[in-house]
Amino acid sequence: MTDKFEPTIIGFTCNWCSYRAADLAGTARVKYPPNIRLIRLMCSGRLDPTFVLKALSKGADGVMITGCHPGECHYLEQNYKTMKRYLLLKKTLAQMGVEPERVQLVWASAAEGVKLAKEITRIVEEIRELGPLDWPSIFSENGEVPIHDAAVEEVPA
Ligand code: FES
């Protein structure tokens, strides 16, 4: 038996497109890895970037953000805001020392169950390659180095 790392990924989906695409994939028995936990929002524009940071800080190894294709958002231009927030979030993560590839954006219409399943499979494989994030060992609640950090503990008296 091998100890293959199995990442936990949170997937934020839009009620009108990607959530239905995931449903379609399930109905059509299109398989994708069980590593992803889907959370339904009414629109990708509802995704506050802090949701992503909270998911990572609470144990997720990656986050998938999905939404309607540009120009097809049911709330007009909210997914353009999603795109801007996503780009900003990736920059912020990189500055924090977290691989920005851990957060990915996928556009998927309700009819694209197969595409969404393929994207989920790809993302799971990419994050499995990156290894565990283990955020709690990198950051404490207030952003300081955790007390149990080995370098801190080895300071001579
Ligand atoms: S309604 Fe789907 S992204 Fe806005």
Side-chain angles (χ1 to χ4, degrees), residues 15 37 50 52 81-82 86-87 91 96 103 120 124 127 136:
N15 178 61
R37 316 285 189 270
T50 61
V52 175
K81 288 183 185 168
T82 304
Y86 165 72
L87 294 172
K91 277 188 183 176
M96 294 168 73
V103 178
I120 290 172
V124 168
I127 293 177

Side-chain angles (χ1 to χ4, degrees), residues 18 40 44 107:
S18 46
R40 178 168 49 167
S44 68
W107 303 128

Side-chain angles (χ1 to χ4, degrees), residues 4-121:
K4 195 161 113 181
F5 164 61
E6 290 299 340
T8 299
I9 297 168
I10 300 298
F12 290 102
T13 59
C14 161
N15 178 61
W16 303 105
C17 55
S18 46
Y19 186 80
R20 290 164 194 242
D23 202 26
L24 178 64
T27 308
R29 297 182 185 268
V30 177
K31 291 187 177 169
Y32 57 83
N35 306 63
I36 194 148
R37 316 285 189 270
L38 298 179
I39 295 174
R40 178 168 49 167
L41 304 173
M42 286 308 288
C43 172
S44 68
R46 174 63 185 90
L47 183 77
D48 187 309
T50 61
F51 297 173
V52 175
L53 296 173
K54 188 157 191 176
L56 296 173
S57 72
K58 296 294 180 188
D61 300 296
V63 172
M64 179 184 77
I65 303 166
T66 61
C68 302
H69 286 276
E72 295 179 7
C73 177
H74 287 59
Y75 304 96
L76 304 176
E77 298 179 347
Q78 296 306 306
N79 54 0
Y80 289 104
K81 288 183 185 168
T82 304
M83 196 171 356
K84 288 178 193 167
R85 289 176 185 151
Y86 165 72
L87 294 172
L88 193 59
L89 195 51
K90 286 178 84 82
K91 277 188 183 176
T92 304
L93 287 171
Q95 287 176 355
M96 294 168 73
V98 174
E99 299 94 341
E101 301 80 22
R102 290 188 184 276
V103 178
Q104 301 208 19
L105 175 64
V106 173
W107 303 128
S109 75
E112 293 179 315
V114 173
K115 176 193 171 184
L116 186 67
K118 279 184 187 168
E119 291 290 319
I120 290 172
T121 304

